[in-house]
Amino acid sequence: MAQLGRYRFLSIAVVFHLVYIYSIFSIYFVSPIVHGMREHYVEAQEAPAKRLVLFVGDGLRADKAFQSFPDPSPPDESSEEANIPRPLAPYLRSRVLEHGTFGVSHTRVPTESRPGHVALIAGLYEDVSAVMTGWKLNPVNFDSVFNRSRHTWSWGSPDILPMFEQGAVPGRVDADTYDAECEDSSKDALELDLWVFDKVKKLFQDAKSNATLNAELRKEKNVFFLHLLGLDTTGHAHRPYSKQYLHNIKIVDQGVQEITELMEEFYADGKTAFVFTADHGMSDWGSHGDGHPDNTRTPLIVWGSGVATPIVNISGLAKGHEDGFSSDWGLDHVQRHDVAQADVAALMAYLAGLAFPTNSVGELPLSYLDIDLKSKAEALLVNAREILEMYHVKEETKKSTELYYKPFSGLNDDKHSVEYRIARIQESIAAGDADDAIRQSSELIQLGLQGLRYLQTYDWLFLRTLVTAGYVGWIVFAITTVIDLHVLTQESKTFRTVPSMVAFSSALVALYSVLFMQQSPWIYYAYGFFPVMFWEEIWARRPALIKGYKVLFGHVSSRTDIIRLVFSVIGFFGLLEALVQSYFQREIFTVCYLLAAIWPAFYGSDFMGENLVLVATWIHSCLLMSVFTLLPANKVEDLSLILIGGGLMFTVGAFYLYFEKSIVADAKLSKDKTSSTSVDGLSRIIMGTQVGLIALAMIVTKSSIWYIQAREGLPPGTKYVGWFTLVASLIVPYFHGLQPNNHYIHRLVVIFLQFAPSFIILTISYEGLFYFGFCLCLFCWILLEHQVYNYTSPRSSTIPASANALKPAVAAAADRLAALKKGDYRALTLADARIALFFFFFLQSAFFSTGNIASVSSFSLDAVYRLVPVFDPFSQAALLILKLMAPFAVMSANFGILNRRLGVAPSALFMVVMAVSDVMTLSFFYMVKDEGSWLDIGTTISHFIIASLLGVFVAGLELVSEFIIGGVEFEKGSKKEAVQVEEKRNGKVNGSNGGTH
């Protein structure tokens, strides 16, 4: 019955958490894309420009584009002139000073290439859930500037161009891409940009001899898109302050100048508009993805036909520079015009005389246009109508499905209706009051966006209530199941009555009826099913809760017991809250490790004296672990630290290999003896191979780093040796099954060595030191927990004093071992909550000790370039995940062994952790934001997903643990242990081991 309950529980846990993870996308990040809108364009005799050219410097930060630096690639490095700071993009700077308008384009999270380009070209902020469904092609169809053009020619990366080609009218967009293999991070990435510039030059060169192509190029409303990936690739490999990145800026500037002059010479009509910008920025650590200002601020420079010339303030600071961000650009006298990234799509559409993309939420930045006020007012009114068209379509869709629809108040009554407001704007334009018309149009655009926001959040209250009921129900259901299986040691009877079944069934039917009538997505039915199922089960099994309460708290009778229990509960939930805050401040882990270091002292000096070496090792391991969360999450490649970490891992393996026989035979630290103390020669050969692979990993990593830093390309031999080392290190340990050694220390060493090469090849700094310290801390913890359990278990006063006093205890222990094999495990006590909390703490520590997993930008690709130098997001992500998951495999093995040593069921403590973890998940659910700071938005999303996945993760760890430690055996221990085993069998633990300290 227990086993059946265990697997049923794990299955429910996995399904529930996977379904409810999606809840934030159903609530906070529903796709804003709707279809069926009419197109809107400005009716004018002539468009400001006949054609438009878009340059996107992928990964170019706004400050780096305008700041001055010494020449990164001077003809003579020894000359004094080489050290004089100068603008690295003089041509683009000349556009700012003399010919066009500039500013900062502010992007949104996630600051990745795909959503950045969608915002630039479609005017749409793609929701996170859509980004998750595909990086290269469109998960959903959306309109774009390219689709509105007569024809678009594009050149660049195969990761970006195809999604605009396939999302457009067939044949409207030409996409010329280089091979994915060209995106090799071990080589000079500026070649990618040179490839693009050469392709554009070739197109116009071919037009001189191809009359058809020439005619196509000279038509109006054409768009040219140059995607320049070199900066992004160089920034990842060398950081945005490196000479390579700065030199790449020079190359881009030269290329932009050449293409601009080429087109002006080809057309010779002065009717081309040029836009230069970036999809996202880049952090100092060569990463992006989150909402750090370095990632969200990108340059925007627009010049050419229809574009306003610079507004210069010769007497002081020009407008737009008030934030101080551009103080070191030398452009304080030129007015800065900042925009939201989606505004660029509206700007490009207007300049080229195209209809606004129907999904665009961008507001036309009028300060960039060289037209009269009346024309600006008319253009902004069309922009407002395009946005309101989306609101109208979305509102009609919502009305058709809602049982009772409550309209948006800002556009509801007659005096605030869309028609009334548009009429007022048209009257102002006709009366010559363009300024008032612009003001009203801006207000109407904001009202339209607010209306879209209202419709986007219409179902929030209902869904939040449903999800909250589900999570709370799961927590109580999990606690009930734990009590059933592992406190009462068997499933209690359920008490279902006809009235209760009718009540819960009626609630589910009523809920489903509402969802059906409102044509809700199928996932809503799942959100509604789980709360009803959980609470019905809790109601039916309420006697188990009552009985479990009496068993767990039956010993709490005196005032002292109550005070201890209160402080223990406060400490328990205090640590949970500390773990919540640790997602924002990693340093909290340092405090927790320092407190954990003194934990053994709570058991008194006698305990400390009996386990002096173990306690000292524990303290030192905690002190070591406390250091890592004080170190920066973003790291610079440091070969010395990599080799030191590898050297420690090699030393552990060599030490164990040399002293294996004595360690396994004596096991002095654990006071356990192996069931078989013989050390097989084959086993030693296999373990020696594991140790050798660590040395090989150190050698090949050093070689790979040298080649990559030299920009000579990664030799195939070095790459293949690296792959061989990594794969072999993961496979070789399974050969131990040919001659198994089931001592738990031997098994833990094998697992430690299995992942050691991964923490050499796939790390860039101190991660190898963390792996060593983390494994040491875990090993000390399971030994300490076992000693604490033995020390705090009740002593027997009934065993007769005789020469053969040990015999009954040993016999009882033997019976107990036989019972354990049959699944007869001891019941959980309140003290086990502390063990579950420790495990939960280590789980969080493994995520955050070497970086901030909640921030995409804390991951560096430097290490994976040693195996996959060519850009491949999926294989590179898989390698990062492998390194991330390695500590958890070690942790699951240690926890599984601790379970066995304490005599509890394999799933018992894992189930407690799963019940506890969702207290944190629910906290993060209400912290999720979809507005405000982009950093806050991205952070809250990742926090919730991590916390929610812990339920699935812990379930997976249990299965991993069962696989890894299969066959591990323990022999009978000392006289004291044998006596305690007998007493535990007699049921004396619950009353005396009830503390949670």
Side-chain angles (χ1 to χ4, degrees), residues 595-618:
L595 292 175
I598 63 173
W599 161 56
F602 284 93
Y603 300 100
S605 57
D606 290 342
F607 175 81
M608 300 271 286
E610 290 179 14
N611 302 278
L612 186 60
V613 175
L614 177 57
V615 170
T617 308
W618 164 257

Side-chain angles (χ1 to χ4, degrees), residues 417-641:
S417 67
V418 173
E419 293 76 12
Y420 177 80
R421 290 178 182 275
I422 290 178
R424 289 285 306 275
I425 296 171
Q426 290 174 332
E427 290 173 5
S428 295
I429 294 175
D433 193 353
D435 285 328
D436 182 64
I438 290 172
R439 179 189 60 79
Q440 291 187 63
S441 293
S442 295
E443 290 178 358
L444 187 55
I445 287 175
Q446 295 306 314
L447 275 172
L449 294 175
Q450 291 173 21
L452 288 171
R453 172 70 181 170
Y454 172 80
L455 296 172
Q456 196 83 0
T457 61
Y458 193 85
D459 296 326
W460 272 25
L461 179 61
F462 170 71
L463 289 174
R464 277 175 160 178
T465 303
L466 210 57
V467 171
T468 301
Y471 273 117
V472 174
W474 159 257
I475 293 170
V476 181
F477 168 78
I479 292 173
T480 305
T481 305
V482 170
I483 290 175
D484 251 357
L485 301 182
H486 305 300
V487 174
L488 305 179
T489 69
Q490 61 181 356
E491 284 195 82
S492 59
K493 294 182 179 179
T494 56
F495 288 85
R496 286 186 171 86
T497 61
V498 173
S500 69
M501 293 175 67
V502 170
F504 284 104
S505 299
S506 300
L508 186 63
V509 169
L511 180 60
Y512 277 13
S513 299
V514 172
L515 295 177
F516 178 78
M517 295 177 70
Q518 295 187 166
Q519 301 178 22
S520 301
W522 68 267
I523 194 71
Y524 286 21
Y525 292 86
Y527 297 154
F529 173 76
F530 282 106
V532 176
M533 181 191 76
F534 288 148
W535 287 106
E536 192 280 333
E537 189 73 15
I538 293 164
W539 177 259
R541 292 161 62 183
R542 62 192 182 279
L545 285 172
I546 298 171
K547 189 175 179 181
Y549 171 82
K550 293 178 180 178
V551 172
L552 291 173
F553 298 96
H555 65 285
V556 180
S557 55
S558 66
R559 181 185 295 270
T560 303
D561 289 338
I562 294 174
I563 293 175
R564 284 186 62 191
L565 179 62
V566 169
F567 276 103
S568 296
V569 171
I570 292 174
F572 186 90
F573 286 99
L575 181 57
L576 281 180
E577 180 57 30
L579 291 178
V580 171
Q581 296 305 316
S582 70
Y583 280 61
F584 304 95
Q585 298 291 333
R586 293 171 60 241
E587 295 79 7
I588 289 175
F589 284 104
T590 297
V591 177
C592 292
Y593 270 114
L594 294 177
L595 292 175
I598 63 173
W599 161 56
F602 284 93
Y603 300 100
S605 57
D606 290 342
F607 175 81
M608 300 271 286
E610 290 179 14
N611 302 278
L612 186 60
V613 175
L614 177 57
V615 170
T617 308
W618 164 257
I619 292 173
H620 282 89
S621 66
C622 287
L623 293 177
L624 175 61
M625 288 299 298
S626 70
V627 173
F628 292 111
T629 43
L630 296 177
L631 301 175
N634 297 303
K635 301 171 282 294
V636 177
E637 191 169 63
D638 191 325
L639 179 60
S640 298
L641 288 178

